[in-house]
Amino acid sequence: MVTAAVIAVITVFLVLLLKPLKGEYAMLVVLAGGMLILRYGVEQILQILQTVETLKGYMPYVSDYMGIFIKMIGISYLCEFTAGLCRDGGCQSLGGQIEIVGKLSILAISTPVLVALFETVERLLA
Protein backbone atom coordinates (compact mmCIF):
# COMPACT_ATOMS: atom_id res chain seq x y z
CA MET A 1 0.00 0.00 0.00
CA VAL A 2 2.90 2.32 0.67
CA THR A 3 4.04 1.97 -2.94
CA ALA A 4 0.60 2.89 -4.27
CA ALA A 5 0.38 5.86 -1.89
CA VAL A 6 3.80 7.16 -2.97
CA ILE A 7 2.85 6.84 -6.64
CA ALA A 8 -0.40 8.71 -5.95
CA VAL A 9 1.33 11.55 -4.08
CA ILE A 10 3.96 11.96 -6.81
CA THR A 11 1.21 11.95 -9.43
CA VAL A 12 -0.74 14.64 -7.57
CA PHE A 13 2.34 16.86 -7.27
CA LEU A 14 3.08 16.48 -10.97
CA VAL A 15 -0.52 17.29 -11.84
CA LEU A 16 -0.46 20.39 -9.63
CA LEU A 17 2.70 21.54 -11.38
CA LEU A 18 1.49 20.81 -14.91
CA LYS A 19 -2.15 21.88 -14.69
CA PRO A 20 -1.52 25.64 -14.89
CA LEU A 21 1.01 25.20 -17.72
CA LYS A 22 -0.46 22.42 -19.85
CA GLY A 23 -3.78 21.06 -18.63
CA GLU A 24 -3.91 18.32 -21.24
CA TYR A 25 -0.62 16.88 -19.98
CA ALA A 26 -1.96 16.78 -16.44
CA MET A 27 -4.64 14.29 -17.51
CA LEU A 28 -1.98 12.12 -19.13
CA VAL A 29 0.04 12.17 -15.91
CA VAL A 30 -3.07 11.09 -13.97
CA LEU A 31 -3.60 8.26 -16.45
CA ALA A 32 0.04 7.15 -16.19
CA GLY A 33 -0.05 7.26 -12.39
CA GLY A 34 -3.30 5.33 -12.40
CA MET A 35 -1.80 2.66 -14.65
CA LEU A 36 1.18 2.28 -12.31
CA ILE A 37 -1.15 1.88 -9.35
CA LEU A 38 -3.28 -0.58 -11.33
CA ARG A 39 -0.16 -2.63 -12.09
CA TYR A 40 0.64 -2.72 -8.38
CA GLY A 41 -2.95 -3.71 -7.62
CA VAL A 42 -2.78 -6.57 -10.12
CA GLU A 43 0.33 -7.86 -8.33
CA GLN A 44 -1.64 -7.88 -5.09
CA ILE A 45 -4.52 -9.70 -6.75
CA LEU A 46 -2.11 -12.35 -8.04
CA GLN A 47 -0.92 -12.94 -4.47
CA ILE A 48 -4.53 -13.32 -3.36
CA LEU A 49 -5.15 -15.81 -6.18
CA GLN A 50 -2.22 -17.91 -5.00
CA THR A 51 -3.65 -17.97 -1.48
CA VAL A 52 -7.09 -18.90 -2.82
CA GLU A 53 -5.55 -21.79 -4.77
CA THR A 54 -4.00 -23.02 -1.53
CA LEU A 55 -7.36 -22.75 0.22
CA LYS A 56 -9.03 -24.71 -2.58
CA GLY A 57 -6.77 -27.64 -1.69
CA TYR A 58 -8.20 -27.64 1.84
CA MET A 59 -11.80 -27.10 0.77
CA PRO A 60 -12.41 -28.57 -2.71
CA TYR A 61 -16.20 -28.27 -2.37
CA VAL A 62 -15.95 -24.47 -2.17
CA SER A 63 -13.86 -24.01 -5.33
CA ASP A 64 -16.82 -22.84 -7.45
CA TYR A 65 -17.63 -20.12 -4.96
CA MET A 66 -14.01 -19.00 -4.75
CA GLY A 67 -14.00 -18.37 -8.51
CA ILE A 68 -17.10 -16.23 -8.18
CA PHE A 69 -15.52 -14.37 -5.26
CA ILE A 70 -12.39 -13.60 -7.28
CA LYS A 71 -14.48 -12.37 -10.22
CA MET A 72 -16.41 -10.08 -7.89
CA ILE A 73 -13.19 -8.60 -6.52
CA GLY A 74 -11.85 -8.04 -10.03
CA ILE A 75 -15.03 -6.35 -11.21
CA SER A 76 -15.17 -4.05 -8.19
CA TYR A 77 -11.52 -3.05 -8.54
CA LEU A 78 -11.82 -2.40 -12.26
CA CYS A 79 -15.03 -0.39 -11.86
CA GLU A 80 -13.62 1.77 -9.05
CA PHE A 81 -10.47 2.45 -11.07
CA THR A 82 -12.40 3.30 -14.23
CA ALA A 83 -14.97 5.44 -12.42
CA GLY A 84 -12.17 7.36 -10.71
CA LEU A 85 -10.49 8.05 -14.03
CA CYS A 86 -13.79 9.22 -15.51
CA ARG A 87 -14.35 11.57 -12.59
CA ASP A 88 -10.81 12.93 -12.84
CA GLY A 89 -11.45 13.61 -16.50
CA GLY A 90 -14.54 15.64 -15.63
CA CYS A 91 -17.10 12.99 -16.61
CA GLN A 92 -18.87 12.43 -13.30
CA SER A 93 -22.00 10.99 -14.89
CA LEU A 94 -19.97 8.45 -16.87
CA GLY A 95 -18.17 7.43 -13.67
CA GLY A 96 -21.52 6.92 -11.96
CA GLN A 97 -22.75 4.79 -14.84
CA ILE A 98 -19.61 2.64 -14.64
CA GLU A 99 -20.27 2.08 -10.93
CA ILE A 100 -23.90 1.07 -11.61
CA VAL A 101 -22.89 -1.39 -14.32
CA GLY A 102 -20.25 -2.79 -11.98
CA LYS A 103 -22.78 -3.34 -9.23
CA LEU A 104 -25.16 -5.02 -11.65
CA SER A 105 -22.35 -7.23 -12.93
CA ILE A 106 -21.47 -8.28 -9.38
CA LEU A 107 -25.12 -9.03 -8.70
CA ALA A 108 -25.37 -11.11 -11.89
CA ILE A 109 -22.25 -13.09 -11.02
CA SER A 110 -23.34 -13.70 -7.43
CA THR A 111 -26.77 -15.14 -8.27
CA PRO A 112 -25.51 -18.77 -8.29
CA VAL A 113 -24.35 -18.30 -4.70
CA LEU A 114 -27.74 -16.88 -3.75
CA VAL A 115 -29.53 -19.80 -5.43
CA ALA A 116 -27.29 -22.29 -3.60
CA LEU A 117 -28.05 -20.54 -0.32
CA PHE A 118 -31.80 -20.78 -0.89
CA GLU A 119 -31.48 -24.44 -1.87
CA THR A 120 -29.57 -25.16 1.33
CA VAL A 121 -32.15 -23.35 3.45
CA GLU A 122 -34.94 -25.24 1.68
CA ARG A 123 -33.22 -28.59 2.39
CA LEU A 124 -32.75 -27.66 6.03
CA LEU A 125 -36.40 -26.67 6.44
CA ALA A 126 -37.77 -29.72 4.58
Side-chain angles (χ1 to χ4, degrees), residues 29-50:
V29 169
V30 168
L31 187 61
M35 290 298 166
L36 287 172
I37 293 171
L38 179 65
R39 181 182 174 276
Y40 178 73
V42 168
E43 289 176 8
Q44 301 302 313
I45 290 173
L46 290 176
Q47 287 180 354
I48 292 169
L49 286 175
Q50 290 174 349

Side-chain angles (χ1 to χ4, degrees), residues 32-72:
M35 290 298 166
L36 287 172
I37 293 171
L38 179 65
R39 181 182 174 276
Y40 178 73
V42 168
E43 289 176 8
Q44 301 302 313
I45 290 173
L46 290 176
Q47 287 180 354
I48 292 169
L49 286 175
Q50 290 174 349
T51 304
V52 167
E53 288 298 321
T54 303
L55 289 175
K56 281 183 182 179
Y58 296 119
M59 302 178 294
Y61 54 88
V62 186
S63 64
D64 294 337
Y65 301 118
M66 288 293 197
I68 292 171
F69 177 67
I70 295 300
K71 287 178 187 176
M72 291 168 63

